[in-house]
Amino acid sequence: MLRGRSLSVTSLGGLPLWEVEELPVEDLLLFEVAWEVTNKVGGIYTVIQTKAKTTADEWGDNYFLIGPYFEHNMKTQVEQCEPVNDAVRRAVDTMNKHGCQVHFGRWLIEGSPYVVLFDIGSSAWNLDRWKGDLWEACSVGIPYHDREANDMLIFGSLTAWFLKEVTDHTDGKHVIAQFHEWQAGTGLILSRARKLPIATIFTTHATLLGRYLCAANIDFYNHLDKFNIDKEAGERQIYHRYCMERASVHCAHVFTTVSEITAIEAEHMLKRKPDVITPNGLNVKKFSAVHEFQNLHATYKARIQDFVRGHFYGHLDFDLEKTLFLFIAGRYEYSNKGADILLESLSRLNFLLRMHKSDVTVVVFFIMPAKTNNFNVETLKGQAVRKQLWDIAHSVKEKFGKKLYDALLRGEIPDMNKILDRDDLTIMKRAIFSTQRQSLPPVTTHNMIDDSTDPILSTIRRIGLFNSRTDRVKVILHPEFLSSTSPLLPMDYEEFVRGCHLGVFPSYYEPWGYTPAECTVMGIPSVTTNLSGFGCFMQEHVADPTAYGIYIVDRRFCSPDDSCNQLTKFLYGFCKQSRRQRIIQRNRTERLSDLLDWRYLGRYYQHARHLTLSRAFPDKFHMEPTSPPTTEGFKYPRPSSVPPSPSGSQVSSPQSSDVEDEDEDERYNEEDEAERDRLNIKSPFSLGHVHGRKKKLHGEFKN
């Protein structure tokens, strides 16, 4: 039986839902191993960084993260210190004495967890010997030219060595080690081959082969059970990596993945059904003032409007108060991230808005890093022109204000025809002349290295979205991560997201999907798909996702054209909303943030640790078969008040964003609706094994 005290888990409404046995953390050591500890590469960094506080609060000084050492990361993210735990201190000292460079400290993030970092380069001389160890353990060979796989082998070998040194001096404490992705998997394989007394968990955030197949525009979900896995991996020259990943999956006591859709994929790609689904969460920070997130939206929207004024100077014939800002962000994976279907939908949306003579303008940002030669001169010039006009307007305003003030002091109403002199008029005429431009506003903010072959730019040329005056949809490609130090768009990513109206992420391959999740906790509506883990999670737990600002495009059972039409319909419906309807929707979206809080989703990880202990040490730990609770059938309630979509109450063409229906005030009471949500919300998680699922079709068409 698991030792420890009973832990009562409550719903967000305060009602107890189940009781589980809390792990006796004082008798355990927890290690989490990942290549992205202190080393930002992709989404796993966000998972580990945001989860650290919740895990550190639960485990205290018995929680350690293991990752690679990079000098620049160490200087900026880690505070070096000496290990407090005796077993860890001995392991670090022993490895350092044998010529390895092992660094220990606290990661300077929320929760300040301990980190153990291995210098890969200092141990590279052992590579050939460790290749032999891996071959003996699982008959997997690594080509000499695959530098990344070689680095992962060194990292894994150092991890296994470190865990052996720790288990030799634990004084009765049991060790749990969780390995993230194939990059850390070698450490798990070698630990099991050497029969180390540790409980192991392997978590895949996306299967290696799945990502490659989807990027190759293959009908993936419709043919999951038909792929010749070995052949596909071999043709892509990743067979050895695939073998490392699959061996890690089958060596682990417990195998977890981040979503139902990835669980189905892993069952076919890796030939093992996950034991536990562990959805990804975020650290949700609630404002003391309820509507502070709405105020932040207004503040940062104004800063985006400033950028747009400069970018479209000379062509600013649209009303910025009736302009909606949409964006897509993430790795530059044109098909996987859904940039292809988004661009096609924007072309159709542009046609609809023009046909209905809408006064709504849509500006869409593509924040997807690519190779560039620095900023576009025309884009920088636009911001300079905007600033110059602002300075001129300020100067004239001061002179105008002084003359007006003097006239009022004399008790006169000034002659408005004389209050501006000839010099002022000349300055303003020159300013207007300086805003004239012969070219269209650029569609990209940077000079692209592969301009002619870039997939986004090539599609823009094909569909003809060139930011002309008649276009109601404008496109801006920003092929660089956002930064507050940028001379062009000086905003951090979080600030930018808060300033936008809608995030659009119609991904074809997205095991979880942090971008729509981040939008949700900031109160920004988003578009996702039923092929993303986030989309499936919301479909499962929210009765009417659209009412809460989560638009889910069907990319699993629809043809590409039908999916594109559905996305166009969502975007067009969003354009038809009034300002009040968008505010109501943002309030509802922000309330969903409780579903994504690590304080609750962390229980999935807790259950995985229970399970792995019971499998690794069955004589000392045992899980009751009835312990995993279930909340089957749970749904966030459908709002009974005003719909967020104006389709039922508005005319067919988009209206001004500040049009309001007086009846809406009677039908919508935000405080009452929020209170009903709080009372009706059940726990979002169903901790336990992945239950047997009814066999479903994997899809009808490739998107």
Side-chain angles (χ1 to χ4, degrees), residues 264-303:
I264 296 169
E265 174 190 341
E267 196 173 344
H268 288 89
M269 294 286 109
L270 301 173
K271 308 303 180 186
R272 179 175 176 181
K273 187 176 181 178
D275 301 291
V276 183
I277 301 296
T278 53
N280 293 331
L282 288 161
N283 280 333
V284 178
K285 297 177 182 177
K286 294 287 186 179
F287 294 105
S288 53
V290 178
H291 292 296
E292 181 59 24
F293 76 96
Q294 296 278 14
N295 297 333
L296 290 174
H297 168 71
T299 300
Y300 295 126
K301 181 181 73 172
R303 288 170 61 179

Side-chain angles (χ1 to χ4, degrees), residues 206-214 218-230 232 242 246 259-272 274 508-509 511 530-531 536 555-557 693-702:
T207 70
L208 193 64
L209 187 56
R211 192 181 292 279
Y212 271 84
L213 289 171
C214 287
I218 284 177
D219 187 356
F220 183 64
Y221 292 99
N222 195 38
H223 293 92
L224 269 176
D225 53 352
K226 299 180 179 66
F227 288 117
N228 182 333
I229 304 299
D230 295 328
E232 297 290 352
Y242 166 74
R246 185 164 165 179
S259 63
E260 278 287 342
I261 195 74
T262 313
I264 296 169
E265 174 190 341
E267 196 173 344
H268 288 89
M269 294 286 109
L270 301 173
K271 308 303 180 186
R272 179 175 176 181
Y508 182 71
Y509 186 77
N530 59 353
L531 288 180
C536 294
R555 296 203 65 181
R556 191 171 180 187
F557 303 111
R693 291 176 294 275
K694 207 172 169 189
K695 188 165 177 71
K696 293 181 181 178
L697 293 172
H698 293 300
E700 298 296 334
F701 301 95
K702 169 71 176 97

Side-chain angles (χ1 to χ4, degrees), residues 57-58 61 111 326 337 350 400 412 468 543 618 627 639 661 665 697:
D57 287 347
E58 181 185 353
D61 288 343
L326 281 57
K337 295 298 182 184
N350 189 44
F400 179 93
E412 301 172 0
S468 65
S627 60
D661 188 341
D665 288 322
L697 293 172

